[in-house]
Amino acid sequence: WPEDKEYNLGFLKHYSDTRALEVFLPSLTSIDAIAEYVSGLEFLSLGEFSSPAVSLKPLQNLQQLSSLSLVRNKKDIGSITCLPGLRDLSLTGYQSKQVEHVAALRGLEKLYLGFGTFESLDAVKGLSRLKSLEICWVKKLRDLRSLQRLKSLECLSLSTLKQVASMPDLSELGQLKSLVMDTMNGLSSLAGIKGSSIAELAVINSKIDPLCFHDLSHGMPSLQRLIVFLASQRSTTEALKYFDKQLVCASINDFKFYKGRTSRVEYLS
């Protein structure tokens, strides 16, 4: 559809039984029709709107919603706090003022925060049911200590967080099975993951000193699968020499616990 055309979603009245909906229409001026005609939605993904005046308030009427993805749409984003059944949330391009609403979603099990700007993870520390957390390219974020409160966390993925210099102590997260760190070039220490229950570890595209892996080779008793690709082949080889070759995997596809973000329509089947 042409992007410069103004669209409305009135056609949804013919699809009242719809359970999953993805909308990528930048010129859209209202999402009222979503709440009016397909209020039984379980999955909803909204792309970025050209107009900042598009309100997200209709979302509060989608009480069956389990999975929601939003991109830089900020007006009335507090409406997501009215969705007690939400289990899976993706927020792309948000600042701390908007991210703080996540704290009210105590039933969340899966969360993605990407391409935003905030300094801490205080908004997530009370999410006791959270199993999967992915944080990608967030400016100013340097303090990850709130991760220590996520006792149900099973999978953690961190990417391009330039200000993060070290990992917090993850040894008390007994459910944590998978940790993926991609382009974490500010890291100078991996001591925080020693003694953890992590079974799968990936450190990719990072400039971390290979010597940081020395202590890990004796401090991760649960480690079963390992991926290391550092800034150079020499650094990668040096880091891997501390580990049993049987642990080393060729790609992330060999991991059993890691679940990257994919299309969410499948979960409805």
Side-chain angles (χ1 to χ4, degrees):
W1 293 355
E3 292 187 3
D4 57 349
K5 182 177 179 180
E6 182 176 322
Y7 297 97
N8 69 71
L9 300 176
F11 69 89
L12 289 174
K13 63 184 179 182
H14 302 294
Y15 303 94
S16 59
D17 292 332
T18 299
R19 296 167 60 203
L21 178 65
E22 297 187 64
V23 179
F24 298 96
L25 296 172
S27 297
L28 200 67
T29 58
S30 171
I31 63 169
D32 288 353
I34 294 178
E36 182 176 357
Y37 299 124
V38 287
S39 60
L41 281 178
E42 297 176 26
F43 168 94
L44 176 63
S45 178
L46 297 177
E48 183 177 6
F49 302 131
S50 299
S51 172
V54 180
S55 172
L56 296 177
K57 189 171 290 186
L59 293 179
Q60 64 189 16
N61 296 320
L62 304 179
Q63 291 298 300
Q64 303 302 313
L65 207 58
S66 176
S67 179
L68 175 65
S69 177
L70 300 174
V71 181
R72 297 185 178 89
N73 304 313
K74 300 176 182 178
K75 186 173 182 181
D76 299 319
I77 192 172
S79 299
I80 65 174
T81 63
C82 299
L83 301 173
L86 207 58
R87 298 292 178 264
D88 185 352
L89 177 64
S90 173
L91 295 179
T92 301
Y94 291 93
Q95 283 70 50
S96 56
K97 186 176 181 180
Q98 292 88 40
V99 173
E100 65 184 18
H101 294 299
V102 171
L105 301 172
R106 297 303 180 97
L108 274 185
E109 297 178 359
K110 192 169 187 178
L111 176 63
Y112 169 87
L113 300 172
F115 300 91
T117 303
F118 44 89
E119 298 181 3
S120 75
L121 294 174
D122 286 349
V124 309
K125 63 184 180 182
L127 303 181
S128 60
R129 298 183 182 180
L130 198 65
K131 296 180 180 180
S132 175
L133 176 61
E134 184 173 354
I135 307 172
C136 177
W137 213 303
V138 174
K139 296 179 181 179
K140 298 185 179 182
L141 180 60
R142 62 178 71 247
D143 184 1
L144 301 182
R145 286 176 295 178
S146 292
L147 294 177
Q148 297 172 310
R149 303 278 295 274
L150 303 178
K151 302 301 184 181
S152 296
L153 197 63
E154 299 175 1
C155 298
L156 175 62
S157 178
L158 305 173
S159 176
T160 322
L161 306 177
K162 299 179 181 180
Q163 283 74 36
V164 174
S166 62
M167 293 294 294
D169 183 358
L170 303 180
S171 62
E172 296 299 318
L173 302 186
Q175 303 301 313
L176 187 60
K177 300 299 182 185
S178 181
L179 173 60
V180 175
M181 297 186 287
D182 185 356
T183 321
M184 297 289 287
N185 289 328
L187 280 177
S188 59
S189 172
L190 296 175
I193 63 178
K194 286 181 59 178
S196 69
S197 61
I198 293 171
E200 301 172 343
L201 173 65
V203 183
I204 307 168
N205 301 324
S206 298
K207 298 177 181 178
I208 191 167
D209 189 333
L211 288 175
C212 292
F213 291 86
H214 178 267
D215 291 341
L216 290 186
S217 63
H218 304 291
M220 300 186 68
S222 300
L223 190 63
Q224 300 173 21
R225 287 169 286 279
L226 174 68
I227 297 176
V228 176
F229 289 108
L230 302 183
S232 68
Q233 182 59 51
R234 181 178 179 180
S235 295
T236 300
T237 301
E238 186 174 349
L240 288 176
K241 73 180 183 182
Y242 302 116
F243 297 90
D244 187 327
K245 293 181 179 179
Q246 294 183 348
L247 297 177
V248 180
C249 299
S251 78
I252 203 76
N253 293 328
D254 296 322
F255 279 14
K256 295 182 179 180
F257 299 106
Y258 173 73
K259 299 178 181 178
R261 298 193 71 78
T262 56
S263 174
R264 255 15 113 66
V265 176
E266 291 88 346
Y267 93 102
L268 293 172
S269 58

